[in-house]
Amino acid sequence: MDKIIFYTNSKIAHLYFWKCIEQVHDAFENCSIMIYIDKDARSLPKEFFLNSFIKKIDSKFSNLKANPFELVDLNLKAEKLKNICITDKLDDLEKSEWIILENKPFKNKFNDFAKNGFLLLDLNYNLLKHNTLNEKLMMLSIVKLDQISKNCKEVFKVNLKCEIGINNNINKILLNYSIFLVKFLKNSNSFSKKRVYKTSSFKLTFKSRIFNKFKFLFYYFNLMLKIFLRKLKKQQLNWKIGIKKNGVIKFLEQPKNSFWADPFIVIGENGNSFVYFEELKNDSLGKISCVEINSKFEIVDKQDIINTNYHLSFPNVFLIDGNYYMIPESSQNSTLQLYKCTKLPFQWEFKLNLMENIKLLDATWIHHDGLYWIFANKIEDFEYDNNEKLYLYYSDDLFSNKWKSHIKNPIVTDASLARNAGNFILNNGKLIRPSQNCFNGYGKNVVMNEVKVLNTEDYIEEKIKELFPVKGAVGAHTINSHEDLCVMDFLVKE
């Protein structure tokens, strides 16, 4: 990608559009970016800006850390980055691979500047509202126009989980454009040749519009009822650890109201086993703890392993060349850390940061075809749900900080499959990735996915099996094994 043009109507732009510019800048190091300001350009349709009452209700069901409609000064933002310039003069424009549009221009005076065509960040408000009221999947689509005056066609689309609230789904799609625009640009040849979708026009009949008005009122009445019931709800839920052997699961005897989750297991030389897990502290931050258990699964010792002033979880423990290492989840510190065991099971020391300035969740790794691969979810301040997208990174050295982002990132976009649930499993030559089903809530059950293709150009997996919580539990989200022992965690009402 050598040159690209972003087309807008003002130097004061919405945050989501700036995020698109920023992500393209970061993804294509030497790409020259031109922001063209055309005062005649259309602004976003007014229906996107819902009334304050709807926004207030929707905000009770949102975990967004940023407002996509927040206004930013493009001049102030762009001056901090290289290879970006802003102009309102048509004569300054140069022929570029793509022109990115917020809305379709009135005139076709830009046709000569787009080598590959125009990309429109498409959002059908009526379809989005209809899908929200009917709790259907949301569709994010990128539309290509060869010329402004010609018809458009979808060249990229992805289905996203429907969130609660119309405003939340508008925000979610807008803020996800920056992620999937980069994915399209990196893989535009394969998408344009193999995956051209037919553009659909969604229209409601008169009866459907009347019906939707009643459904709209009922939908928001139901949301207000949920908010009221939340205040009355006093149910306590905690994660508990169970150990499975020969098909029988026994829970560890952990203290009442304790929160033990994300178990990983190691079997020691004395026949006892060591379970590493996240333990929630009184300040609601997680620390890494370990229990030593005997053959009857009784706890004989328990100690803190890693206790910091930021949250830790998912203590991914593994053995390489006779040494035990751990990659805990340390996203709150914006690092992916590696620890080394100096004396099994309780003594560990920090070794290095594998990645910095990134917030990765529940990282797992595998060595495959001469490369090391790290799979993780990622937290972005402008993402709606960090359980919905799985990212992949690779390196020729596991113990380094030189990791490359996969060209197809995010490699999985599906809340029922994306979040990791434990270490990879090698079963009869098949590589299995355990994942969580978070579609109807965090950590509902565990899913097994067989990896079909894993290389630097592509990733394909296939869901093969689901595992559900034991009787009395309402969730399960981690599974790991060592020899004939298997550990899982279960969400239990107390």
Side-chain angles (χ1 to χ4, degrees), residues 189-225:
N189 288 334
S190 61
F191 280 117
S192 60
K193 292 178 181 178
K194 300 177 184 178
R195 304 186 187 182
V196 176
Y197 308 101
K198 183 179 179 181
T199 304
S200 60
S201 57
F202 179 82
K203 293 182 180 180
L204 289 172
T205 63
F206 177 75
K207 287 184 178 181
S208 296
R209 288 197 297 270
I210 298 298
F211 179 74
N212 268 11
K213 287 183 179 180
F214 285 104
K215 199 159 191 175
F216 178 87
L217 294 174
F218 178 78
Y219 181 85
Y220 276 95
F221 173 80
N222 190 42
L223 293 192
M224 289 188 289
L225 183 61

Side-chain angles (χ1 to χ4, degrees), residues 225-238:
L225 183 61
K226 285 183 178 180
I227 294 171
F228 175 74
L229 292 176
R230 275 180 179 179
K231 296 180 180 180
L232 302 178
K233 193 174 182 180
K234 296 182 180 180
Q235 187 180 71
Q236 179 71 31
L237 295 173
N238 280 311

Side-chain angles (χ1 to χ4, degrees), residues 394-412:
Y394 60 93
S395 172
D396 58 5
D397 182 3
L398 178 61
F399 305 113
S400 77
N401 56 11
K402 297 179 180 179
W403 293 87
K404 295 181 180 179
S405 177
H406 197 277
I407 193 171
K408 291 289 180 70
N409 274 336
I411 57 169
V412 175

Side-chain angles (χ1 to χ4, degrees), residues 4 6 20-28 33 181-182 185:
I4 196 165
F6 285 86
C20 290
I21 297 169
E22 186 179 49
Q23 289 271 19
V24 169
H25 172 271
D26 292 345
F28 301 96
I33 297 176
L181 175 62
V182 168
L185 292 174

Side-chain angles (χ1 to χ4, degrees), residues 252-280:
L252 295 184
E253 294 179 359
Q254 61 190 83
K256 186 175 176 58
N257 296 323
S258 60
F259 182 110
W260 293 7
D262 298 344
F264 287 74
I265 190 167
V266 170
I267 298 179
E269 294 180 356
N270 63 353
N272 284 359
S273 300
F274 312 114
V275 180
Y276 297 87
F277 58 94
E278 170 200 354
E279 181 177 7
L280 207 61

Side-chain angles (χ1 to χ4, degrees), residues 2-3 5 94-99 110-118 144-146:
D2 295 323
K3 295 180 182 178
I5 297 171
E94 299 177 355
K95 206 168 186 81
S96 302
E97 271 87 339
W98 298 99
I99 297 180
F110 312 100
N111 288 343
D112 293 338
F113 295 105
K115 291 180 183 177
N116 300 324
F118 301 81
K144 179 186 175 185
L145 300 86
D146 293 324

Side-chain angles (χ1 to χ4, degrees), residues 217-321:
L217 294 174
F218 178 78
Y219 181 85
Y220 276 95
F221 173 80
N222 190 42
L223 293 192
M224 289 188 289
L225 183 61
K226 285 183 178 180
I227 294 171
F228 175 74
L229 292 176
R230 275 180 179 179
K231 296 180 180 180
L232 302 178
K233 193 174 182 180
K234 296 182 180 180
Q235 187 180 71
Q236 179 71 31
L237 295 173
N238 280 311
W239 289 97
K240 306 296 180 183
I241 295 176
I243 300 185
K244 183 178 181 180
K245 184 175 182 179
N246 299 326
V248 178
I249 294 179
K250 181 178 179 180
F251 281 85
L252 295 184
E253 294 179 359
Q254 61 190 83
K256 186 175 176 58
N257 296 323
S258 60
F259 182 110
W260 293 7
D262 298 344
F264 287 74
I265 190 167
V266 170
I267 298 179
E269 294 180 356
N270 63 353
N272 284 359
S273 300
F274 312 114
V275 180
Y276 297 87
F277 58 94
E278 170 200 354
E279 181 177 7
L280 207 61
K281 300 181 290 186
N282 291 332
D283 58 4
S284 296
L285 294 178
K287 63 182 177 180
I288 305 303
S289 299
C290 176
V291 290
E292 181 178 357
I293 58 176
N294 60 26
S295 59
K296 297 179 181 179
F297 304 151
E298 298 168 331
I299 297 175
V300 297
D301 197 1
K302 175 184 178 295
Q303 293 188 30
D304 293 348
I305 302 301
I306 311 172
N307 192 353
T308 63
N309 60 358
Y310 49 86
H311 181 77
L312 295 171
S313 63
F314 204 79
N316 188 345
V317 177
F318 53 92
L319 179 68
I320 292 184
D321 296 333

